Amino acid sequence: MILRIMAAVALITLTSCKVTSLESERAAAPAVVSWEDLPAKIKARTAFVQLEKIHSADWSVDRSGLIDLEHQTARSAGLSEGPEPIQIFLFSLVHPRAGRYFIDTGIAEIFKGQQEEWPVSSVIRGAMNMEALQIKKTTAEVLQKGAVAGVFLTHMHLDHILGGADILPEIPFLVGPGESTSRHWQNMVVQGSTDRLLGKNRPLRELGFESTAGGLAVSDYFGDGSFFVIHVPGHTPGSLAFLAVTTDGVHLMTGDTCHTAWGWKNNVTPGTFTRDKAANALALNKLKELTEQLPGIQVHPGHQNL
Ligand SMILES: [Zn+2]
């Protein structure tokens, strides 16, 4: 019995790997601000960003992945398993000094072609129900408006890096703490596809910032109160949410800390797609609390419009 347990532990350890074989460089997140100070920092902004939400694709996946159907609120509402229509979004952000950045990558031109040519394995294609993807706008089309200086990833799940092939290989991708360096046995299945989607020599920067007591870690990324990067661990170790301060008001991009409109309205975390449900719930609670302090804020869940 003990031998069997030891063998199982050894197997799990041996097969645990990072989500990508690319090496990331660690970069300190600039201008870390305390969670409590965030609403005041937003009000004191000295610049605005322009934000455009791009509907890259329609898609459909299992509801039990997107919403925790075991949650009491979901049970009371009578939610059950089934296909849930969702979207893939890309956000384009223009800062007056730093230029254009993307949040996530959208979907690349190559996905208009034969499935056998797609830069993902056939196992992933089936497991992710990728046959259901319907492209609305490719990332190459979005890039006709102007080049990007960098790409922030809400996290490194495959549906957030499908546009990698359309983005020049030297453009850096920025991820949250531990996102590209933590290990898990499931990564064994996705690592090859993740590598191909990112590109062979993609510069990967993992932002390092510690959370302040009782709050989430926040970086005032451009130092002028126009754009904040928030570490929301739970869905994945390095999941990020973003706050953009525009002339049209404040926008919160939750990433997959909350995939759906129903999940946001009812404060219910994602289901089986989330790695650490308890941490995800804490992060989602904090984001909900923040929005209550910012009347008029526009919230963008990861895969649906509110
Ligand atoms: Zn997603």
Side-chain angles (χ1 to χ4, degrees):
M1 182 63 181
I2 289 175
L3 274 178
R4 268 197 205 161
I5 293 169
M6 284 172 69
V9 169
L11 186 67
I12 289 167
T13 309
L14 279 172
T15 55
S16 286
C17 59
K18 297 184 295 177
V19 70
T20 173
S21 66
L22 281 181
E23 289 298 322
S24 55
E25 87 185 51
R26 197 170 156 85
V32 173
V33 299
S34 82
W35 181 246
E36 292 70 27
D37 288 348
L38 181 54
K41 290 275 177 193
I42 293 167
K43 285 181 189 122
R45 77 277 178 285
T46 56
F48 294 102
V49 290
Q50 290 169 24
L51 185 72
E52 189 185 355
K53 183 177 192 174
I54 291 119
H55 178 182
S56 299
D58 283 327
W59 193 23
S60 168
V61 299
D62 289 343
R63 191 168 296 118
S64 58
L66 302 164
I67 296 171
D68 179 9
L69 299 178
E70 302 301 314
H71 192 285
Q72 192 52 50
T73 310
R75 283 170 176 242
S76 304
L79 290 197
S80 58
E81 179 60 302
E84 176 79 18
I86 59 170
Q87 294 84 43
I88 291 180
F89 296 115
L90 159 65
F91 290 88
S92 171
L93 180 93
V94 181
H95 182 268
R97 179 175 42 80
R100 184 187 301 273
Y101 282 79
F102 281 164
I103 297 172
D104 289 337
T105 65
I107 191 158
E109 288 279 328
I110 194 165
F111 288 95
K112 280 183 169 174
Q114 295 290 321
Q115 291 191 12
E116 294 69 32
E117 307 286 315
W118 292 2
V120 291
S121 70
S122 55
V123 174
I124 293 291
R125 232 163 49 211
M128 287 180 65
N129 190 30
M130 289 182 76
E131 286 76 12
L133 277 171
Q134 293 198 340
I135 297 176
K136 296 289 175 188
K137 193 168 200 176
T138 66
T139 304
E141 288 168 338
V142 181
L143 281 165
Q144 286 171 3
K145 278 197 173 179
V148 284
V151 176
F152 295 97
L153 296 180
T154 57
H155 61 302
M156 293 181 76
H157 281 168
L158 296 169
D159 55 310
H160 295 259
I161 54 173
L162 296 177
D166 283 358
I167 301 168
L168 290 173
E170 64 268 26
I171 301 299
F173 285 8
L174 298 108
V175 300
E179 187 67 8
S180 60
T181 45
S182 63
R183 290 172 182 271
H184 196 274
W185 66 267
Q186 284 174 346
N187 290 335
M188 198 177 57
V189 187
V190 299
Q191 195 191 67
S193 297
T194 309
D195 283 356
R196 273 188 283 161
L197 287 164
L198 291 172
K200 224 177 8 194
N201 299 309
R202 176 74 60 195
L204 203 55
R205 296 200 186 124
E206 194 167 291
L207 297 172
F209 46 122
E210 304 303 322
S211 60
T212 51
L216 300 169
V218 187
S219 162
D220 177 2
Y221 197 79
F222 299 119
D224 52 20
S226 65
F227 181 64
F228 298 87
V229 181
I230 309 170
H231 183 207
V232 282
H235 180 64
T236 61
S239 278
L240 297 175
F242 302 91
L243 259 179
V245 182
T246 76
T247 50
D248 168 44
V250 181
H251 294 255
L252 171 67
M253 280 66 74
T254 69
D256 286 358
T257 293
C258 184
H259 296 91
T260 60
W262 191 91
W264 177 262
K265 286 177 195 152
N266 294 281
N267 197 11
V268 174
T269 58
T272 53
F273 297 159
T274 268
R275 176 80 60 82
D276 181 339
K277 250 185 232 177
N280 194 150
L282 280 177
L284 180 55
N285 279 337
K286 288 285 172 197
L287 292 182
K288 295 280 293 186
E289 282 170 26
L290 177 68
T291 58
E292 282 155 20
Q293 295 174 59
L294 298 167
I297 189 171
Q298 295 167 72
V299 179
H300 306 274
H303 286 283
Q304 285 177 344
N305 286 312
L306 264 189

